[in-house]
Amino acid sequence: MANRTDQLLRSAWTSEPPQLPPHAVRWLRQETGLTDSWTPTRALTAPPSELPEKAREVLAGIVGAEHMLTDERSRLGRTGGLSYLDLLAHKGIGSVSVPDAVVLPADPAEVAAVVKACAELGLSIVPFGGGTSVVGGVQASERSVIVDLARLDRLVLVDEVSRLAVFQAGVRAPDAEKALAEYGLTLGHVPQSFERATIGGFAATRSAGQASSGYGRFEDMVEGVRVATPRGEARFGVAPASAAGPDLRHLMIGSEGAFGVITEVTVRVRPLPKVRRYEGFVVDGCERGADVVRKLAQDRVLADVTRLSDVDETRVSFALTGGLKAAGLKAYLKARGVREPCMLILGWEAQDKTELAMRRAATLRKLRGAIRLGRVLGEAWRHGRFNGPRQRDALMNAGVCVETLETATHWSQLTELCTKVRQALTDSFERPIVMCHISHAYETGASLYFTVIAPRSLEDPAGQWKRAKAAACDAIAGLGTISHHHAVGVDHAPYLPAEIGDLGVEVLAAVKNTLDPSGILNPGKLIAP
Ligand SMILES: Cc1cc2nc3c(=O)[nH]c(=O)nc-3n(C[C@H](O)[C@H](O)[C@H](O)COP(=O)(O)OP(=O)(O)OC[C@H]3O[C@@H](n4cnc5c(N)ncnc54)[C@H](O)[C@@H]3O)c2cc1C
């Protein structure tokens, strides 16, 4: 497991310390007042493990001594997820708790045995997939054991007739796609965390991929789940649809490890696309852009990928890539009366050219008021779509506070929500760049994804972001959901009651109490203590 620990210890995305190109640094200085001085960093260290000897023996007896780890590197590698605050903590800024142990069960039976043993020993469990949570979902709690699902890495079966596949929970997205490709199939779930996140993590967080308009959100792809709880194993989902009472699969999808450890997921799969076309467009103004996307959604002609950047995100994207000859583009758009360019990316994936042409034509017929910039922009977006985490590492290394947050609401409230969150974030920093895009669209509404870039505070880097995030969450409350796809974790748990009501929280607590009477499963996540 040394390689796995090595990879996780690079809690950021890359092994090389990434640097911003000089033109980007110059641009950031101009825009935000970024300087060369920032709070010194230091390596995070771990206190000694306090796992009792008896627990060590019991757990090693289940998974084997080599998969029961208490050394500092293994524990640090699974300390926190990948939020800005987590990454700061790994630079010795702010606080984070380190787990007492890491266990790596081999299969669902071993997971079930570990869960049962931990319940008997009074140890809390934090299920750990890819560790890409950005909401404190994999944060260790007192006397906690990380259950790392990396060894549950098998494609269990493919039912080509029904277009179903069963994956063990620890299979990472690229490996799942590779395995399915051998059958000419795909899942089509491509979040920005694709390179690291797991099938179990997607299910546990109700993840949404970039092509959600075409392939659906992850919960739309889940046909069934197998779960280990302190009360025993459960399987939910036996048919494509059912009227046998409330759908218990959905108690597990989005349960964030608080109701059980998902060990297997049965997913709906599709034929692998043979042709793709990604194109860039520009719309004048964000509100007009949102109307364009709403019309596509309500006329049911959304492209598989539909993504609208606001004016600031468009400006930053054009300025930093420079590849699109930003100055020439500006003149071109000005000549066409575009004052506030908002970039719209549309991507279609299909089985053959005819299907693609028909679907693209259906979208374009309804696409009013968008100026086509062509495939170069669309393909540039597609090729760079996993660059975000790497750019974030580079920005952090340059002394920048950089983080994202997301929400969703109905079309009629979208502008108000966007304005309020933007204001809350802008007011929290001196000279920030606040960017937003519509990342996922539905007939009734859309999600908003914000990115903030600002010089990192010298005195209190962690507090700076905590205050900004709290202001944004307050702005969201009552207008939108506290999370469209990042989940609740620890960070959003205090805001959940405002969204689902005290009774809603009581229902969740009752489910938890039934499945996990001693409260050992991922304490503090989903339901605030
Ligand atoms: C750079 C970056 C980009 C991202 N982009 C997206 C995006 O585009 N769309 C999106 O939806 N999310 C995105 N995320 C958030 C994150 O990747 C998702 O929440 C993802 O679904 C988590 O998968 P994971 O395997 O890494 O889970 P982890 O981070 O390991 O865990 C997430 C939560 O699920 C629980 N969990 C994990 N596995 C299991 C299991 N088998 N059983 C029970 N509970 C489990 C954990 O305890 C934790 O609470 C992004 C994150 C980063 C860092």
Side-chain angles (χ1 to χ4, degrees):
M1 284 297 126
N3 287 346
R4 168 127 177 103
T5 299
D6 285 348
Q7 192 214 22
L8 291 168
L9 267 172
R10 301 181 218 130
S11 59
W13 216 258
T14 41
S15 53
E16 300 305 314
Q19 302 297 334
L20 289 177
H23 79 273
V25 175
R26 273 197 306 278
W27 183 84
L28 268 174
R29 287 190 173 151
Q30 266 170 26
E31 291 273 325
T32 68
L34 182 73
T35 63
D36 269 344
S37 48
W38 58 78
T39 318
T41 59
R42 61 182 168 81
L44 181 67
T45 53
S49 167
E50 290 184 2
L51 190 75
E53 196 46 44
K54 178 166 182 262
R56 192 184 301 255
E57 275 167 29
V58 172
L59 294 174
I62 298 168
V63 298
E66 70 278 30
H67 301 301
M68 156 77 239
L69 311 170
T70 52
D71 64 284
E72 185 182 39
R73 279 173 59 76
S74 301
R75 291 187 295 125
L76 284 178
R78 282 97 173 163
T79 294
L82 289 176
S83 70
Y84 171 67
L85 293 179
D86 291 329
L87 298 181
L88 275 187
H90 276 268
K91 292 179 185 292
I93 298 171
S95 64
V96 69
S97 46
V98 180
D100 275 320
V102 176
V103 294
L104 292 116
D107 54 32
E110 284 193 9
V111 175
V114 165
V115 171
K116 189 165 173 281
C118 285
E120 285 163 7
L121 292 160
L123 296 172
S124 58
I125 283 178
V126 180
F128 192 99
T132 65
S133 172
V134 286
V135 292
V138 289
Q139 217 168 77
S141 46
E142 215 182 312
R143 298 200 66 202
S144 64
V145 171
I146 296 281
V147 176
D148 186 335
L149 294 144
R151 292 174 70 215
L152 273 78
D153 59 357
R154 286 185 43 228
L155 167 62
V156 180
L157 70 86
V158 176
D159 173 350
E160 289 179 82
V161 176
S162 314
R163 289 203 183 148
L164 290 172
V166 181
F167 282 103
Q168 290 188 334
V171 177
R172 295 203 305 176
D175 298 329
E177 286 297 349
K178 216 154 112 196
L180 288 174
E182 287 186 20
Y183 296 85
L185 296 168
T186 183
L187 199 47
H189 186 69
V190 191
Q192 203 185 41
S193 53
F194 177 81
E195 292 158 282
R196 289 208 186 172
T198 61
I199 296 291
F202 292 148
T205 58
R206 301 179 82 86
S207 167
Q210 292 165 339
S212 67
S213 300
Y215 293 91
R217 291 165 57 90
F218 200 75
E219 71 257 28
D220 305 323
M221 302 175 184
V222 176
E223 186 92 352
V225 286
R226 179 176 176 186
V227 196
T229 80
R231 299 279 311 279
E233 268 206 284
R235 289 175 192 261
F236 299 117
V238 297
S242 163
D247 191 339
L248 293 178
R249 268 178 317 178
H250 286 279
L251 277 183
M252 292 301 158
I253 305 173
S255 62
E256 302 184 34
F259 295 170
V261 183
I262 298 166
T263 52
E264 281 178 4
V265 185
T266 305
V267 286
R268 298 165 180 161
V269 290
R270 308 251 174 91
L272 200 59
K274 296 187 182 66
V275 281
R276 291 190 169 87
R277 188 176 175 111
Y278 280 69
E279 286 179 56
F281 300 79
V282 158
V283 187
D284 191 13
C286 206
E287 276 187 57
R288 191 176 299 175
D291 277 346
V292 166
V293 175
R294 176 174 60 81
K295 184 98 181 87
L296 297 181
Q298 293 179 340
D299 286 342
R300 297 168 169 243
V301 288
L302 280 170
D304 298 318
V305 170
T306 304
R307 178 189 159 109
L308 174 77
S309 297
D310 73 353
V311 178
D312 289 292
E313 193 173 274
T314 304
R315 184 174 60 87
V316 172
S317 157
F318 287 175
L320 287 183
T321 52
L324 287 161
K325 300 194 181 65
L329 181 65
K330 217 169 160 188
Y332 175 82
L333 292 174
K334 208 168 160 203
R336 275 150 193 82
V338 178
R339 313 238 160 266
E340 300 188 318
C342 290
M343 182 173 72
L344 174 67
I345 298 293
L346 299 178
W348 300 265
E349 307 200 340
Q351 287 308 302
D352 54 47
K353 285 185 178 166
T354 312
E355 186 201 340
L356 192 131
M358 281 170 64
R359 293 195 43 226
R360 179 172 171 269
T363 309
L364 296 189
R365 248 196 311 276
K366 302 282 182 178
L367 190 69
R368 302 265 185 268
I371 295 174
R372 192 168 163 255
L373 294 184
R375 294 176 77 168
V376 174
L377 185 58
E379 284 303 320
W381 177 83
R382 188 166 82 86
H383 284 111
R385 67 186 183 170
F386 300 132
N387 284 349
R390 293 177 181 84
Q391 285 161 354
R392 184 170 71 152
D393 290 350
L395 283 163
M396 283 192 71
N397 289 343
V400 172
C401 166
V402 47
E403 184 56 305
T404 63
L405 61 90
E406 42 77 50
T407 176
T409 194
H410 300 132
W411 290 113
S412 55
Q413 302 196 126
L414 201 71
T415 302
E416 186 184 356
L417 177 62
C418 186
T419 308
K420 289 198 165 149
V421 176
R422 166 181 287 284
Q423 196 61 52
L425 290 169
T426 307
D427 290 349
S428 302
F429 298 89
E430 231 163 78
R431 277 176 68 190
I433 300 171
V434 179
M435 300 171 270
C436 180
H437 64 257
I438 289 181
S439 55
H440 306 268
Y442 308 89
E443 285 181 66
T444 56
S447 67
L448 294 172
Y449 189 94
F450 292 87
T451 304
V452 183
I453 294 176
R456 191 156 74 223
S457 154
L458 291 177
E459 300 77 30
D460 184 13
Q464 176 191 36
W465 174 248
K466 280 185 193 164
R467 286 187 290 278
K469 177 75 190 267
C473 290
D474 289 343
I476 288 170
L479 273 178
T481 175
I482 198 63
S483 176
H484 169 264
H485 58 265
H486 282 167
V488 178
V490 171
D491 297 359
H492 295 151
Y495 300 92
L496 195 60
E499 186 162 332
I500 64 172
D502 290 342
L503 193 54
V505 175
E506 235 178 88
V507 172
L508 289 183
V511 172
K512 180 162 178 73
N513 197 34
T514 300
L515 296 169
D516 177 26
S518 48
I520 61 148
L521 291 172
N522 222 3
K525 322 296 160 38
L526 190 63
I527 306 170

